[in-house]
Amino acid sequence: MKKSKWILFTLVLFIVGIYFIAMNKEKSISIDQTGQVQAVVDETSRGKAQVDWRYVSAMAEVKYGIEEISNEEIKQLTNQFITEENDDFKIKEIDRVLTENEYSQEEKEEVKNYYNQLTDQIEAADNNNLKKMQRNFINDIEAIAIENYETYRILPSITIAQAILESDWGRSTLSSEYNNYFGIKSHNWDGESVNLETKEYYDETIEDAFRVYDQMEDSVKDHGEFLATHDRYKKNGLFNGTTYMEQAVALQDAGYSTIENEQGEKIYSDQLAQIIQQHQLQLIDSKVYQ
């Protein structure tokens, strides 16, 4: 009888031990689980200000469980970050949002832990040679793109995505030899120029003159000035766009690029959006709204 009690007691201790190990094990979240959140956050941000989907994902996991959350609940969490001040949209700091929603100290720590996990996973994905080259390119242009936003209100994600698309990550002849990262032609230009072949529409190739710059920074700054001084961009709502989705469409509508698919449909805005989403460039936009 005593032996049976001892076995039972030992079994209870074992179960309790397993429970505490499980409870104290660091909870985790995978970036693969966040696709739905990313899409809804970006769409909900449209016309307001770009919200960081990592914080929304972290809050969703704590409050609902990320695999159980609905689109409507994601929208509600996203809107918690957006505030309007003097007819201008801003992004609230995460601590303010968590406090306003009465998260406990333990829940606040969980949210920040999940946020850090997602950030680490994004950085870990850059660990091959191609990804490193791409990340270095983004890092080289990010600060200048943010400066351009302050001056011309072109979102950093748009500036960077256009540079990626137009220069093939800085590998095109026009960018690598002449520091022109945006394919800007030399119309109304007093500086040096170079004649090169370029593609128009779907498969048409023509030769045209392009602006030449001394360095990348000059190209980025001139890109902002070029857009700001050509009325068609203003008329098509480029500077009224508050998220990358709107600005990408405005650039396409204003005729920045003539690129089309086989069906003759304009695809420039889709190309920019895909680059921004793939490389999480909208997270840079979140910084400028704080």
Side-chain angles (χ1 to χ4, degrees):
M1 192 70 178
K2 288 182 179 180
K3 186 176 182 181
S4 297
K5 287 182 178 179
W6 175 251
I7 292 173
L8 180 61
F9 178 70
T10 303
L11 182 60
V12 170
L13 284 178
F14 176 76
I15 293 172
V16 170
I18 292 295
Y19 172 78
F20 276 105
I21 290 173
M23 289 297 290
N24 290 318
K25 185 179 180 180
E26 186 181 79
K27 297 176 182 178
S28 63
I29 186 172
S30 168
I31 198 169
D32 294 333
Q33 299 172 284
T34 66
Q36 174 194 9
V37 175
Q38 291 186 42
V40 176
V41 167
D42 284 2
E43 186 58 43
T44 306
S45 299
R46 185 195 288 259
K48 302 171 188 173
Q50 185 66 50
V51 175
D52 190 329
W53 63 262
R54 291 171 297 182
Y55 280 129
V56 176
S57 296
M59 290 179 67
E61 177 64 15
V62 171
K63 190 168 185 178
Y64 301 98
I66 197 166
E67 294 182 340
E68 304 297 328
I69 195 169
S70 68
N71 286 354
E72 187 57 38
E73 289 165 336
I74 297 171
K75 289 178 184 177
Q76 290 173 2
L77 286 178
T78 303
N79 283 322
Q80 292 291 321
F81 285 86
I82 301 171
T83 183
E84 190 172 3
E85 300 174 3
N86 300 320
D87 297 324
D88 195 15
F89 289 102
K90 297 289 185 182
I91 299 297
K92 299 178 188 176
E93 295 285 347
I94 182 62
D95 288 334
R96 177 180 169 185
V97 175
L98 294 175
T99 298
E100 288 176 350
N101 284 273
E102 299 181 341
Y103 276 62
S104 68
Q105 186 58 39
E106 182 181 352
E107 288 172 329
K108 290 179 180 179
E109 290 174 2
E110 281 188 61
V111 167
K112 291 178 181 179
N113 177 51
Y114 287 138
Y115 174 89
N116 290 334
Q117 286 182 27
L118 292 170
T119 301
D120 289 344
Q121 289 175 54
I122 291 172
E123 293 176 357
D126 293 340
N127 280 339
N128 62 54
N129 289 335
L130 176 61
K131 289 287 187 179
K132 285 179 181 177
M133 180 276 290
Q134 293 173 340
R135 177 50 54 188
N136 288 339
F137 183 89
I138 292 169
N139 289 342
D140 286 344
I141 199 172
E142 179 177 339
I144 316 168
I146 290 174
E147 277 185 39
N148 253 29
Y149 171 78
E150 298 299 334
T151 304
Y152 300 110
R153 284 300 186 259
I154 309 300
L155 287 165
S157 65
I158 288 292
T159 298
I160 298 170
Q162 282 196 279
I164 290 169
L165 182 57
E166 300 289 346
S167 76
D168 186 25
W169 296 96
R171 295 179 293 190
S172 70
T173 300
L174 186 59
S175 59
S176 62
E177 296 185 20
Y178 303 104
N179 289 307
N180 185 332
Y181 289 82
F182 299 91
I184 298 179
K185 296 173 183 176
S186 60
H187 306 156
N188 302 315
W189 172 250
D190 294 329
E192 185 181 354
S193 63
V194 60
N195 288 328
L196 292 172
E197 287 190 346
T198 183
K199 281 193 174 182
E200 299 282 348
Y201 301 100
Y202 173 60
D203 58 359
E204 182 182 346
T205 300
I206 65 170
E207 185 173 293
D208 214 328
F210 295 87
R211 299 181 182 187
V212 173
Y213 305 97
D214 291 332
Q215 56 188 352
M216 173 190 274
E217 183 175 356
D218 298 330
S219 180
V220 178
K221 289 181 176 179
D222 189 53
H223 170 255
E225 184 176 351
F226 173 84
L227 296 176
T229 54
H230 285 72
D231 287 344
R232 69 180 188 269
Y233 295 104
K234 183 178 181 180
K235 289 177 181 176
N236 282 277
L238 178 62
F239 305 101
N240 294 328
T242 56
T243 62
Y244 71 89
M245 292 181 178
E246 299 154 275
Q247 290 201 346
V249 170
L251 284 169
Q252 176 176 284
D253 291 346
Y256 189 97
S257 171
T258 60
I259 190 166
E260 298 174 346
N261 60 18
E262 291 179 339
Q263 289 73 44
E265 299 165 331
K266 295 179 180 180
I267 58 173
Y268 192 64
S269 63
D270 287 341
Q271 289 182 321
L272 292 177
Q274 287 169 9
I275 290 171
I276 289 166
Q277 292 161 7
Q278 181 180 355
H279 298 283
Q280 302 296 342
L281 303 180
Q282 73 272 41
L283 300 180
I284 301 173
D285 293 344
S286 299
K287 298 177 185 178
V288 303
Y289 279 111
Q290 292 178 358

